[in-house]
Amino acid sequence: MIAIGCDHAGYEMKKELISVLGAKGYEFKDSGCDGEKCDYPDIAEKVCEDVLSGGCEYGILICGTGIGMSIAANKVKGIRAALCTDCFSTKYTRLHNNANVMCMGARTMGTGLAAELAEIFLTTGFEGGRHQRRLDLIEKIEEC
């Protein structure tokens, strides 16, 4: 199960991703919004809670640029949210950073690229090894 959420700027992209990726067998928990104006930090918090609770394996957040969602999501302890804008960075944020939430901008990319990036994010595993040590260091920072 994938938690997905957006603000009003990302509503159309969210609907398209649910349709395209749903046809490939992915299941989604839609955490809003429904096209109405809303505050992106509220949506980011809902998606992050779904990921941390174990109810959803990953989260996808969409706003105008993806930046606001990534800032808000990264305030939640245990979340490693990455702004995904290209194939290489999206792949390596999973391989090296074990990101559990991806953020995208509906005003900065088309839905075709967004679907491609989401599939890369959802199918790429974490390498572990030396990268786990670095994630452990990040967790120590969260404790401050």
Side-chain angles (χ1 to χ4, degrees), residues 2-3 5-7 14 37 53 56 60 94 98 100 102 104 110 115 137 142-143:
I2 312 303
C6 66
D7 69 359
K14 180 188 75 169
K37 285 203 179 268
S53 74
C56 295
I60 298 174
R94 289 286 307 124
N98 200 19
N100 50 12
M102 74 177 306
M104 294 184 283
L137 292 170
E142 286 182 331
E143 299 302 322

Side-chain angles (χ1 to χ4, degrees), residues 58-77:
Y58 300 109
I60 298 174
L61 290 167
I62 309 160
C63 64
T65 63
I67 296 168
M69 285 292 198
S70 64
I71 291 170
N74 278 310
K75 296 296 182 184
V76 179
K77 182 179 176 182

Side-chain angles (χ1 to χ4, degrees), residues 83-95 102 109 112-121 124:
L83 177 60
C84 297
T85 59
D86 63 86
C87 296
F88 183 86
S89 297
T90 300
K91 177 180 177 181
Y92 279 85
T93 198
R94 289 286 307 124
L95 284 171
M102 74 177 306
M109 71 175 69
L113 177 58
E116 181 179 1
L117 297 180
E119 192 147 18
I120 290 168
F121 187 89
T124 302

Side-chain angles (χ1 to χ4, degrees), residues 24-40:
K24 294 182 177 190
Y26 291 97
E27 295 180 14
F28 291 92
K29 178 178 182 187
D30 189 342
S31 296
C33 79
D34 292 324
E36 75 283 354
K37 285 203 179 268
C38 66
D39 296 318
Y40 63 83

